[in-house]
Amino acid sequence: MNDISSQVRLIDVGPRDGLQNEKQPVPAAVKIELVQRLQAAGLREIEVTSYVSPKWVPQMADKHEVMRGIRRQAGVRYSVLTPNLKGFEAALLDQPHEIVVFGAASEAFSQKNINCSIAQSIERFAPVVEAAKAAGIAVRGAMSCAVGCPYEGEIAPERVDYLAGLMKGIGVQRVDVADTIGVGTPKRVQAAIEAALKHFPIDHVSGHFHDTYGQALSNTLAALHMGVWNFQSSVAGLGGCPYARGANGNVATEDLVYLLHGMGIETGIDLAALVDAGQFISAHLGRPSGSRVARALLSRR
Ligand code: HMG
Ligand code: MG
């Protein structure tokens, strides 16, 4: 157990992970406004979109429009998903600060999500990582199904160890330990993080917890106790992966911020402004926020 960090850095993945699975088309202008509200609320990292096949994920087809429409704020890092060189070349036109290659600890999920094996995915990612670094763009690696897989069930930490090692080997700079379907509980999540820490330092390992089973805050606390201080979350708890049936949204950024501030941990985020950002997108989608903190605070306004 390490000391809990006095500061936490959050990446809001709402515009990407949050909206990618949305059935109704969300106009680019709404996505742009969401990104702008998030940065105004103090988010310093925002995962904006994905350069993936529009046949696979139609909701992200407006990637260029969204990336080009954002009024960028100094000090904010904009990241995007790039599964292969084709995606990277398209992303390069929009100058993200960081790209994300996304692999899986489970073979079946790798096949369903990106249509190739884990080994093939690493072969595809290697030139992407090289090209990104040559262009001065940072590289993150997402490791899906780090504790459980919708097709294979429980995933052993050794699989995360294996994938993290492969990612390190091709030059990925930091990794996300992702509980894609939110089945993890604290000890299992800690074991997955431990496996990632065999290859990456604590500053370069983040937690990405979906909240399907309501365990994401507990898992965050468990990760905090290991010294992890980077996390991903979605405003209003938006989201789910199109290739993980039943996967709910990420833990809500509002809920995470409430937890962190309550523990005296700084995030640089203005919770009231964040709640407003969540209200903006929830109103557009025509449903209540998935954040319990947002609902509680709104009921008191
Ligand atoms: P594929 O079909 O194997 O690719 O898809 P291909 O190379 O055989 O090409 C087939 C067609 O796709 C061709 O077009 C290519 O040009 C096109 P056609 O000639 O048939 O018209 N293509 C592309 N188009 C746009 N952008 C590209 C691209 N690459 C090929 N980059 C591919 C492989 C990876 C592209 C596909 O499987 C795909 O797009 N998958 C989407 C996966 C995805 O976005 N999943 C959700 C994000 S991951 C996630 O949510 C998990 C995460 O949150 C962590 C967690 O919670 O676990 C990160
Ligand atoms: Mg995710």
Side-chain angles (χ1 to χ4, degrees):
M1 291 278 164
N2 287 337
D3 285 342
I4 293 184
S5 175
S6 59
Q7 283 186 13
V8 155
R9 182 98 160 175
L10 297 182
I11 306 181
D12 199 295
V13 297
R16 194 283 301 171
D17 205 345
L19 294 178
Q20 70 183 4
N21 202 26
E22 201 51 55
K23 295 289 169 285
Q24 50 176 321
V26 179
V30 171
K31 295 172 181 167
I32 292 165
E33 170 86 22
L34 177 61
V35 170
Q36 283 172 188
R37 283 174 180 259
L38 290 171
Q39 63 194 21
L43 265 305
R44 288 298 163 261
E45 296 201 41
I46 303 173
E47 200 170 276
V48 179
T49 189
S50 315
Y51 294 78
V52 296
S53 164
K55 286 184 197 147
W56 286 61
V57 187
Q59 190 63 257
M60 296 286 111
D62 58 3
K63 52 212 172 242
H64 292 298
E65 198 182 343
V66 173
M67 277 296 277
R68 289 169 196 180
I70 299 164
R71 274 195 312 281
R72 293 195 183 194
Q73 192 173 302
V76 177
R77 176 184 274 223
Y78 304 94
S79 54
V80 301
L81 266 57
T82 57
N84 53 20
L85 262 183
K86 186 180 170 80
F88 174 74
E89 278 157 12
L92 194 56
L93 302 172
D94 300 333
Q95 301 185 316
H97 296 111
E98 184 178 53
I99 54 114
V100 184
V101 290
F102 49 106
S106 127
E107 278 297 345
F109 190 79
S110 181
Q111 284 293 347
K112 296 273 185 197
N113 194 40
I114 51 175
N115 205 24
C116 62
S117 68
I118 295 170
Q120 286 166 333
S121 74
I122 294 297
E123 278 170 34
R124 287 184 191 177
F125 299 156
V128 174
V129 175
E130 201 183 312
K133 285 181 160 175
I137 298 171
V139 181
R140 181 151 53 88
M143 303 194 292
S144 288
C145 300
V147 288
C149 168
Y151 312 104
E152 292 181 18
E154 205 165 295
I155 298 294
E158 290 72 27
R159 314 277 293 279
V160 179
D161 180 348
Y162 172 68
L163 178 63
L166 292 175
M167 288 214 171
K168 184 76 184 180
I170 58 169
V172 167
Q173 293 160 321
R174 56 177 186 157
V175 285
D176 311 330
V177 175
D179 184 5
T180 313
I181 53 170
V183 289
T185 41
K187 285 194 173 165
R188 299 204 36 235
V189 166
Q190 285 181 330
I193 291 171
E194 205 62 66
L197 288 173
K198 288 188 185 168
H199 306 277
F200 291 88
I202 194 84
D203 293 350
H204 293 165
V205 173
S206 74
H208 176 118
F209 307 136
H210 285 261
D211 202 26
T212 321
Y213 287 76
Q215 305 299 304
L217 286 179
S218 310
N219 294 337
T220 300
L221 190 57
L224 281 168
H225 276 292
M226 298 175 78
V228 172
W229 61 279
N230 286 280
F231 294 93
Q232 286 133 42
S233 55
S234 281
V235 66
L238 300 170
C241 177
Y243 298 98
R245 224 178 100 224
N248 285 29
N250 296 86
V251 64
T253 310
E254 297 92 320
D255 296 6
L256 215 46
V257 167
Y258 183 85
L259 168 77
L260 295 166
H261 290 185
M263 292 175 71
I265 298 170
E266 286 172 27
T267 64
I269 295 168
D270 173 346
L271 181 55
L274 180 65
V275 167
D276 289 340
Q279 263 307 90
F280 163 77
I281 190 64
S282 301
H284 176 83
L285 298 173
R287 56 173 188 257
S289 172
S291 161
R292 296 176 69 159
V293 165
R295 292 203 303 270
L297 291 176
L298 285 166
S299 74
R300 286 171 41 185
R301 278 189 182 170

